[in-house]
């Protein structure tokens, strides 16, 4: 078993390496003057079970090309099995046709990764479960809920909790977390999105009066949805609001928006390398998913059960 790291999130790759007590494979992943990606592996990988750790976050296209070229290099070096470990799967939000003459880019990216030579994919909290079916190779979708529920119990265990989904589409995710938290009650924010990147909160389904609300989502990008939902919950009498999101995309002025919101904190994972703005924010906290990914990788290499991680 070997671990190869791309440049998108070296800190997470190193944390996984430390968890498994296994050094990262020596390799060069660099750019030519015209920004072409070049990969050179400095160790023998013939017959090895190799895991390539690479999130396809910003810059998404550069990081995706790095992943593809790493896979191709390993395939041509006769690796026995290549697993693409993609903590954050970019393009996942383009999982269906929202209108006429639009692409399903998540399927296209899945095809490209498979064609490059990946034998297996390991990801965390895919935006839509059906993306697993876009791949024609085995795909494991890990859940961040165990990491988050443990943190919620440690931090807010004494509060009267209510788990809140910021939209109707996230109810299954919110219900799964609520079940882990001794079947905490569930509320839903009914919102109407007028245009991409903007949302308007319309109504709160459920009585949140006097309760500490935990907003749960898979991706936080602009932060507008969470901030509007938090304000609506406070207006309805919530005692306080915190948010837990697996993937902190946090583009543009998202961190500043979170800092000015009524939320006590936003908790994200290190599936995407935290920016300087995230690290200096008083309201954004990062949980590591390195043990979760490391344990899943160990079980894949040992041919043992991955699903039992979540029992």
């Amino acid at each position: 078993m070997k671990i190869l790291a791309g440049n998108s999130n070296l800190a997470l790759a190193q944390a996984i390496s430390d968890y498994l007590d296994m050094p990262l494979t020596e390799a060069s992943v660099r750019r030519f003057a015209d920004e072409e990606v070049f990969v050179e592996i400095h160790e023998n990988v013939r017959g090895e079970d190799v895991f390539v750790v690479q999130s396809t976050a910003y810059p998404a296209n550069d990081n995706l090309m790095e992943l593809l070229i790493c896979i191709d290099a390993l395939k041509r070096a006769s690796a026995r099995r290549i697993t693409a470990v993609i903590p954050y799967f970019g393009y996942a939000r383009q999982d269906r046709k929202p209108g006429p003459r639009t692409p399903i880019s998540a399927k296209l990216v899945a095809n490209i990764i498979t064609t490059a030579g990946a034998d297996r994919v390991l990801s965390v909290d895919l935006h839509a479960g059906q993306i697993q079916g876009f791949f024609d190779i085995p795909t494991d979708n890990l859940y961040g809920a165990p990491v988050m529920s443990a943190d919620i119990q440690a931090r807010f265990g004494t509060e009267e909790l209510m788990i809140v989904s910021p939209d109707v589409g996230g109810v299954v995710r919110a219900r799964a977390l609520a079940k882990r938290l001794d079947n905490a009650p569930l509320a839903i924010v009914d919102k109407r999105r007028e245009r991409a990147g903007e949302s308007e909160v319309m109504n709160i389904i459920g009585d949140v009066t006097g309760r500490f609300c935990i907003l749960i989502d898979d991706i936080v990008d602009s932060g507008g949805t969470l901030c509007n939902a938090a304000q609506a919950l406070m207006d309805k009498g919530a005692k306080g609001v915190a948010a837990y999101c697996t993937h902190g995309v946090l583009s543009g002025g998202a961190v500043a928006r979170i800092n000015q919101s009524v939320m006590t904190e936003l908790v994200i994972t290190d599936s995407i390398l935290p920016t300087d703005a995230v690290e200096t924010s008083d309201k954004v906290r990062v949980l590591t998913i390195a043990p979760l990914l490391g344990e899943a990788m160990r079980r894949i290499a040992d041919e043992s059960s991955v699903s039992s991680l979540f029992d």
Side-chain angles (χ1 to χ4, degrees):
M1 176 182 176
K2 287 184 180 290
I3 306 168
L4 178 66
N7 290 322
S8 72
N9 198 340
L10 284 169
L12 176 60
Q14 187 60 59
I16 293 170
S17 166
D18 293 343
Y19 176 83
L20 292 171
D21 194 22
M22 183 178 300
L24 294 173
T25 299
E26 289 187 24
S28 301
V29 183
R30 60 181 189 271
R31 301 287 195 278
F32 289 133
D34 62 354
E35 293 300 309
E36 278 187 14
V37 178
F38 178 72
V39 174
E40 185 176 9
I41 300 165
H42 304 305
E43 293 182 22
N44 179 27
V45 295
R46 185 180 297 274
E48 296 280 1
D49 194 359
V50 187
F51 293 81
V52 186
V53 181
Q54 176 82 336
S55 279
T56 51
Y58 175 85
N61 300 329
D62 288 356
N63 287 329
L64 178 59
M65 280 305 299
E66 271 192 21
L67 173 64
L68 298 174
I69 294 171
C70 284
I71 291 170
D72 187 73
L74 290 167
K75 184 175 71 171
R76 295 177 190 280
S78 301
R80 177 174 59 83
R81 180 172 64 179
I82 303 165
T83 301
V85 181
I86 313 172
Y88 171 67
F89 181 70
Y91 287 98
R93 285 174 283 183
Q94 298 183 49
D95 62 318
R96 64 193 184 283
K97 283 171 66 80
R101 298 171 295 282
T102 55
I104 304 179
S105 303
K107 170 59 175 167
L108 173 64
V109 172
N111 287 347
I112 294 170
I113 291 170
T114 306
T115 302
D119 298 298
R120 190 179 194 100
V121 169
L122 178 64
S123 192
V124 181
D125 277 336
L126 288 170
H127 184 60
Q130 67 264 24
I131 293 173
Q132 293 172 86
F134 291 178
F135 289 92
D136 294 326
I137 53 178
T139 304
D140 292 302
N141 180 29
L142 303 181
Y143 302 106
V147 178
M148 293 179 178
S149 60
D151 188 76
I152 292 168
Q153 288 278 26
R155 203 164 178 85
F156 306 109
T158 58
E159 302 280 358
E160 276 195 88
L161 294 177
M162 176 166 271
I163 307 304
V164 183
S165 173
D167 53 36
V168 176
V171 172
V172 173
R173 185 180 300 107
R175 188 182 292 122
L177 181 65
K179 187 177 179 181
R180 286 183 171 274
L181 295 168
D182 300 323
N183 288 313
L186 190 66
I188 303 167
V189 178
D190 172 36
K191 76 171 190 292
R192 181 176 299 164
R193 190 182 295 276
E194 301 296 337
R195 58 185 64 85
E198 295 182 17
S199 63
E200 178 185 355
V201 174
M202 301 298 291
N203 194 24
I204 305 294
I205 303 170
D207 183 10
V208 300
T209 307
R211 290 188 174 271
F212 193 91
C213 295
I214 304 289
L215 280 160
I216 179 74
D217 211 347
D218 62 327
I219 298 172
V220 52
D221 190 346
S222 66
T225 295
L226 288 181
C227 292
N228 290 346
Q231 186 61 59
L233 290 166
M234 293 300 289
D235 292 344
K236 290 290 185 179
K239 181 180 178 182
V241 182
Y244 280 72
C245 299
T246 308
H247 308 297
V249 177
L250 297 172
S251 58
V255 176
R257 195 173 292 117
I258 297 295
N259 289 338
Q260 295 165 9
S261 73
V262 297
M263 284 188 285
T264 57
E265 67 175 349
L266 166 66
V267 182
I268 59 176
T269 74
D270 55 356
S271 65
I272 297 172
L273 185 68
T275 62
D276 291 341
V278 167
E279 291 183 338
T280 56
S281 171
D282 293 331
K283 280 198 175 184
V284 184
R285 188 161 55 89
V286 181
L287 297 176
T288 185
I289 53 171
L292 176 68
L293 283 166
E295 187 57 35
M297 289 160 62
R298 190 204 307 277
R299 293 182 182 209
I300 289 169
D302 293 344
E303 304 291 352
S304 56
S305 172
V306 173
S307 59
S308 61
L309 266 174
F310 305 104
D311 292 342

